[in-house]
């Protein structure tokens, strides 16, 4: 990506406020994930109120308001992929959200990272396109600059295992070649995702607070790709456990 793609101008030809209106009852803090199964399960437990929706040519995605320990928290399902995920985030911010906790699965670059364990990114390698439109050119971007200590405390208090390190963010999951895996491992990457670098860049550009963590899924550290729990509904009860630290961190971010 050419270094000159970034323009610091806050106003573009098409802006979020051209397509999205503020929502009167929008909470200032929210959580989001990519799994419809998890979103449905959260709705079963908390019976949230739908207050808005995101929409594109593929249809509508509800935006909810739930109450957790007396605090209203927004909830919505993010689109997979940096471009659509970042666009939806822009629209959620325009609705009135100020802070967001995002969680979802990632591929691991070390077989020693246990399936479904939590990964906390502290830096993202920018191998996607969106971040270059929101931040000046650099190979990496820092992520989760606030709240890592608070999040670790939550994980320790509830007995979660976790790993902290650098994530490789790419737009092209079917181009995660063996050479790339080895190269980025040598640069310190412990996992791979599709959104972290982009979402962090958007948050910085818009002056909002954003925190993202992962739960480990497929393993790329082997002769063959190992699916492990990726896309498995059989492990849903285990995946549901990642909702608790997201909600607890949301309370601390208030």
């Amino acid at each position: 990506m050419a270094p000159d793609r970034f323009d610091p101008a806050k106003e573009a030809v098409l802006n979020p406020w051209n397509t999205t209106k503020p929502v009167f009852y929008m909470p200032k803090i929210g959580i989001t994930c990519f799994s419809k199964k998890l979103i449905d399960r959260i709705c079963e437990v908390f019976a949230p109120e739908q207050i808005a929706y995101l929409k594109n040519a593929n249809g509508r995605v509800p935006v909810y308001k739930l109450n957790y320990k007396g605090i209203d928290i927004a909830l919505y399902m993010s689109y997979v992929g940096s471009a659509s995920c970042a666009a939806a985030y822009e629209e959620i911010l325009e609705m009135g959200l100020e802070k967001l906790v995002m969680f979802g699965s990632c591929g691991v670059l070390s077989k020693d990272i246990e399936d479904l364990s939590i990964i906390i990114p502290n830096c993202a390698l920018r191998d996607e396109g969106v971040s270059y439109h929101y931040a000046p050119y650099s190979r990496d971007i820092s992520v989760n600059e606030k709240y890592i200590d608070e999040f670790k405390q939550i994980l320790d208090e509830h007995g979660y295992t976790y790993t902290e390190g650098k994530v490789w963010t790419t737009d092209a999951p079917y181009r995660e070649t063996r050479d790339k895996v080895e190269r980025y491992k040598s640069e310190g990457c412990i996992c791979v995702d599709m959104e972290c670098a982009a979402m962090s860049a958007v948050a910085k550009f818009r002056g909002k607070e954003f925190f993202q963590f992962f739960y480990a899924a497929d393993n790329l550290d082997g002769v063959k790709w190992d699916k492990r729990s990726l896309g498995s509904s059989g492990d849903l009860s285990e995946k549901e456990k990642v909702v608790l630290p997201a909600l607890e961190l949301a309370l601390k971010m208030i």
Side-chain angles (χ1 to χ4, degrees), residues 1-2 5-6 81-83 86 125-135 169-172 194 197-198 201:
M1 181 64 68
R5 294 295 177 111
F6 175 65
S82 60
L125 190 148
R126 301 167 69 182
D127 194 23
E128 38 65 61
V130 172
S131 67
Y132 292 92
H133 298 278
Y134 286 88
T169 301
T170 177
D171 281 332
M194 295 180 66

Side-chain angles (χ1 to χ4, degrees), residues 10-56:
K10 294 297 183 180
E11 186 166 342
V13 176
L14 174 63
N15 304 280
W17 53 89
N18 298 133
T19 64
T20 308
K21 296 180 180 180
V23 175
F24 183 71
Y25 295 105
M26 175 64 70
K28 298 302 181 184
I29 182 73
I31 66 171
T32 184
C33 70
F34 302 90
S35 168
K36 186 177 186 302
K37 293 186 178 78
L38 271 181
I39 293 290
D40 290 345
R41 181 61 179 144
I42 296 170
C43 290
E44 287 178 15
V45 173
F46 292 97
E49 172 191 0
Q50 183 178 340
I51 56 174
Y53 57 83
L54 299 165
K55 62 180 179 179
N56 63 20

Side-chain angles (χ1 to χ4, degrees), residues 117-202:
S117 64
I118 287 179
I119 298 175
I120 309 168
N122 53 28
C123 181
L125 190 148
R126 301 167 69 182
D127 194 23
E128 38 65 61
V130 172
S131 67
Y132 292 92
H133 298 278
Y134 286 88
Y137 178 83
S138 63
R139 185 169 177 77
D140 303 328
I141 186 169
S142 60
V143 303
N144 293 341
E145 294 171 296
K146 293 180 66 175
Y147 304 113
I148 282 186
D149 290 341
E150 290 86 347
F151 188 59
K152 287 181 178 179
Q153 181 180 4
I154 291 168
L155 298 177
D156 289 336
E157 288 175 353
H158 292 88
Y160 290 80
T161 60
Y162 58 87
T163 307
E164 180 182 349
K166 183 177 178 179
V167 61
W168 162 28
T169 301
T170 177
D171 281 332
Y174 291 126
R175 295 304 302 149
E176 295 168 4
T177 65
R178 177 56 50 200
D179 284 347
K180 288 181 180 178
V181 169
E182 295 304 321
R183 182 193 320 159
Y184 297 144
K185 279 179 61 178
S186 70
E187 293 183 26
C189 293
I190 62 172
C191 61
V192 57
D193 90 313
M194 295 180 66
E195 300 88 13
C196 186
M199 291 290 285
S200 298
V202 174

Side-chain angles (χ1 to χ4, degrees), residues 205-224:
F205 183 77
R206 296 299 184 190
K208 308 299 182 182
E209 290 190 359
F210 173 76
F211 191 95
Q212 183 170 5
F213 68 95
F214 310 112
Y215 53 91
D218 54 319
N219 174 31
L220 287 77
D221 185 24
V223 177
K224 294 184 178 181

Side-chain angles (χ1 to χ4, degrees), residues 47-116:
E49 172 191 0
Q50 183 178 340
I51 56 174
Y53 57 83
L54 299 165
K55 62 180 179 179
N56 63 20
N58 299 125
R60 295 183 175 185
V61 171
V63 179
Y64 300 102
K65 178 177 69 173
L66 63 84
N67 190 274
Y68 181 68
K69 295 185 177 180
I71 300 297
D72 286 337
I73 297 175
L75 168 71
Y76 74 99
M77 183 178 68
S78 282
Y79 300 114
V80 174
S82 60
S84 54
C85 185
Y89 182 38
E90 286 267 41
E91 292 165 6
I92 287 288
L93 292 178
E94 186 61 26
M95 290 179 186
L97 196 77
E98 295 287 338
K99 306 177 181 185
L100 182 66
V101 180
M102 171 176 279
F103 57 98
S105 64
C106 70
V108 299
L109 305 185
S110 170
K111 59 180 179 294
D112 295 329
I113 298 176
E114 296 181 4
D115 192 22
L116 296 176

